[in-house]
Amino acid sequence: MVTQIQVGLIGYGVAGRVFHAPLINAVPELKLTKVVERHSEASRQHYPWVEVVKDVDALFHDPAIDLVVIATPNPSHFELAQQALSAGKHVVVDKLITTTSTQAQQLTELAQRTQRILSVYHNRRWDGDFQTVKQVIEQGVLGQLVEYEAHYDRFRNTLKPGAWRETPELGSGILFDMGSHLIDQAQVLFGLPQAITADVRSQREGAKADDYFEIGLDYGNLKVILRAGMLVRERGPHFILHGTEGSFVKYGMDTQEEALRRGLTPSDPDWGLEPQTQWGTLNTQIGSLHFDGQVETMRGCYQAFYENVYQAIAQGAELAVKPQEARNTIRMIELALESHRERCTKPYRTAE
């Protein structure tokens, strides 16, 4: 019988309630044991066995808690992760790992010194359409890839009063939010770029945080474009890939976030499946054959993130999302902001 890893969750807002607790609960080897909620006991409505505590020290000082999951606003991540690692806990941080690459490096080094696992919830690596794009590239069906474009667009033309993501505080705005996903996916596919060029804007009246960006990543013969905006009512493609032999174009977003928001879990039989209307279109030459048609989207699997975290802690498996990669994502965001402010292309370099 496998011993369960006891998990403590800090925060039960949207991140904790929608994106973490259901996926922790979907992995039999993990047991959600304690939840930090300062003003309610909402987690017990879904997980009646958990103990609700009001202070993070109740997790850090509990020897039974093996893994601490931090699902709080971005500016709090560094201090909480630092305290958890120093208390000897393994740590998962909701993306972003921190708001600066310097802090991310400090946490990475602390995890190494304490010999604890530190990972970051970049769940979009397990989007079914991203997994499909990854296979299209790896199998070479487009020939040599020359252009990759990815979008996360929404239409929300009003501001959310009181929302921390819409404040001018470091770590807020769409670049740190959706941009971190797009940058992480590009890093998974292509590694680190040679240079970064960015345009970052606040398009909505009264906006104090950025709500639009376009980032160009230079990989030599490969051009990568990442774009997101809050004023896109008519959605374009999510992914556009062009190569020397053909193209792949994909509309629509992965279904898992919507399913989680509706209260579904990975135990649902249709979990991670996309309707055929959202499958991507492949138009390419494969040997002497011309193919022009749909490619079925692979099944999404957000729970795979926590399955890997368990395997890394209990079995010494390699982490799927390494803290060094999360640090690199923050560094690319920093360089994108520098590029925008200075109106120039910035070569990729680590922070001094």
Side-chain angles (χ1 to χ4, degrees):
M1 181 176 178
V2 177
T3 302
Q4 285 184 312
I5 288 177
Q6 307 296 306
V7 182
L9 173 63
I10 303 177
Y12 202 70
V14 172
R17 173 176 53 84
V18 175
F19 292 107
H20 289 278
L23 300 176
I24 294 168
N25 196 51
V27 180
E29 296 85 2
L30 300 179
K31 183 176 182 180
L32 184 61
T33 304
K34 286 186 177 181
V35 179
V36 178
E37 294 186 73
R38 299 190 188 280
H39 306 297
S40 72
E41 294 192 357
S43 58
R44 287 181 54 81
Q45 297 176 14
H46 299 97
Y47 312 100
W49 61 86
V50 303
E51 178 184 353
V52 174
V53 296
K54 303 301 180 184
D55 192 273
V56 295
D57 287 339
L59 302 187
F60 300 155
H61 297 157
D62 184 348
I65 297 295
D66 305 296
L67 171 64
V68 170
V69 176
I70 299 169
T72 56
N74 292 340
S76 65
H77 288 180
F78 175 71
E79 182 178 356
L80 290 172
Q82 188 179 53
Q83 292 175 353
L85 289 168
S86 298
K89 308 302 183 184
H90 302 290
V91 175
V92 164
V93 186
D94 190 50
K95 64 86 190 166
L96 307 161
I97 181 172
T98 61
T99 56
T100 73
S101 61
T102 299
Q103 289 180 341
Q105 179 61 26
Q106 292 173 0
L107 290 182
T108 300
E109 293 172 356
L110 178 58
Q112 292 171 341
R113 290 197 302 273
T114 57
Q115 297 184 315
R116 300 290 92 181
I117 294 297
L118 171 63
S119 191
V120 182
Y121 186 67
H122 278 294
N123 60 308
R124 294 282 180 182
R125 294 189 185 192
W126 288 274
D127 280 359
D129 52 8
F130 176 70
Q131 289 292 319
T132 304
V133 163
K134 190 169 182 284
Q135 286 301 308
V136 167
I137 295 172
E138 290 180 355
Q139 294 186 28
V141 295
L142 302 180
Q144 180 182 344
L145 189 66
V146 296
E147 187 170 331
Y148 168 95
E149 184 170 341
H151 291 238
Y152 279 150
D153 293 322
R154 297 172 173 172
F155 184 73
R156 187 183 298 155
N157 61 0
T158 58
L159 305 178
K160 279 189 172 181
W164 67 265
R165 292 189 189 278
E166 304 220 28
T167 70
E169 189 173 7
L170 184 66
S172 64
I174 198 170
L175 179 56
F176 277 95
D177 185 15
M178 305 312 296
S180 64
H181 284 307
L182 291 173
I183 291 170
D184 179 69
Q185 289 177 338
Q187 185 181 181
V188 168
L189 295 174
F190 311 119
L192 298 176
Q194 299 173 13
I196 298 174
T197 308
D199 179 16
V200 184
R201 303 183 181 220
S202 299
Q203 295 182 327
R204 295 173 298 171
E205 184 176 356
K208 296 180 180 180
D210 56 87
D211 56 17
Y212 167 88
F213 67 80
E214 180 177 318
I215 299 174
L217 302 179
D218 182 3
Y219 289 90
N221 292 331
L222 171 64
K223 178 181 180 180
V224 170
I225 302 167
L226 311 176
R227 184 181 296 163
M230 300 293 282
L231 294 177
V232 184
R233 195 162 201 160
E234 184 65 28
R235 301 289 178 87
H238 182 23
F239 291 106
I240 307 170
L241 287 74
H242 299 303
T244 55
E245 296 295 334
S247 299
F248 179 76
V249 178
K250 168 70 173 61
Y251 285 81
M253 299 295 293
D254 182 86
T255 60
Q256 293 173 95
E257 177 176 343
E258 180 186 354
L260 287 167
R261 290 184 182 275
R262 288 192 288 123
L264 300 178
T265 70
S267 63
D268 183 86
D270 294 329
W271 180 263
L273 295 178
E274 255 191 6
Q276 187 172 351
T277 54
Q278 289 188 203
W279 294 357
T281 298
L282 177 65
N283 185 348
T284 193
Q285 192 74 22
I286 303 175
S288 59
L289 299 177
H290 174 228
F291 177 85
D292 186 358
Q294 286 187 299
V295 174
E296 182 176 354
T297 302
M298 297 176 65
R299 191 171 196 143
C301 190
Y302 283 175
Q303 64 271 27
F305 171 82
Y306 274 108
E307 290 171 350
N308 171 256
V309 169
Y310 165 76
Q311 291 162 0
I313 294 172
Q315 302 167 4
E318 182 179 0
L319 267 179
V321 183
K322 301 176 178 62
Q324 295 87 347
E325 295 167 336
R327 174 205 61 203
N328 294 342
T329 292
I330 302 302
R331 184 57 186 151
M332 283 189 264
I333 289 174
E334 291 171 340
L335 291 171
L337 291 171
E338 287 182 23
S339 169
H340 172 74
R341 286 193 300 266
E342 299 173 17
R343 296 293 192 269
C344 67
T345 296
K346 304 294 292 188
Y348 182 84
R349 66 185 190 283
T350 57
E352 297 179 356

